[in-house]
Amino acid sequence: MLKMHNLSKLYRTNDIETIALNCINIEIDTGEFVAIMGPSGCGKSTLLNIIGMLDTASEGQYFFNDEDISNHSESQLSQIRKRNIGFIFQSFNLIDELNVSENIELALLYHDMAKKERKDRVAQIMDKVGIAHRAKHMPSQLSGGQQQRVAVARAVVGNQKLILADEPTGNLDSAHGQEVMEMLQGLNSEGTTIVMVTHSPTHSDYARRTINLFDGHVVTENLRATG
């Protein structure tokens, strides 16, 4: 699904140059569940943002579905992102003025889809993640675990094939965190590719492969045994 070749990200401020990522070489296949780990400031979120086309590399190549997108314009990247990628954030990023159903439906407004089809799809995904009974509730009326369920629903409602999760359990207690991880594992078992940044070794165990970063480098990759 995606391949990065000698990819680097540099930040320059006046005379100061910071290397966030340094010659990253990564391949992630369709259907994988990959965890990205490492200490704060090692480049995890920068890497996830580049994978999600929210940021661009300074050097190197990025292939997405066999297409070299390294030199694509922002509008080109935006179109690829809308069609293929869903995002789950630590802070949920729900809109306070919209109820659960409306927050999820918002992700479909970029798609060429009739209103009834949107409503049907939202109803299906709310039922799938166990939040249908809260459809008319506002985010402030939900627990943290319920808010993250809404965020997961919003990320997958458009049938995106790649889900990027940045510390998806960071604001949750252990029980709700486990629920979210089990939801992600279930989506992966149905064929969705998932790339997740996490600090939690327990949650990284849900992934099939773990990529460890340190100072902008990939230092190790671990494949979890099955069976």
Side-chain angles (χ1 to χ4, degrees), residues 83-84 108 111 121 155-161:
R83 291 195 304 268
N84 295 279
L108 294 176
H111 296 254
R121 179 61 186 160
V156 301
V157 70
N159 287 321
Q160 282 82 353
K161 300 304 181 185

Side-chain angles (χ1 to χ4, degrees), residues 153-186:
R154 182 185 57 194
V156 301
V157 70
N159 287 321
Q160 282 82 353
K161 300 304 181 185
L162 172 63
I163 299 299
L164 303 181
D166 194 355
E167 297 283 0
T169 61
N171 285 335
L172 303 177
D173 59 33
S174 58
H176 286 123
Q178 183 178 343
E179 287 180 6
V180 169
M181 291 310 305
E182 289 172 354
M183 266 196 295
L184 293 178
Q185 193 173 53

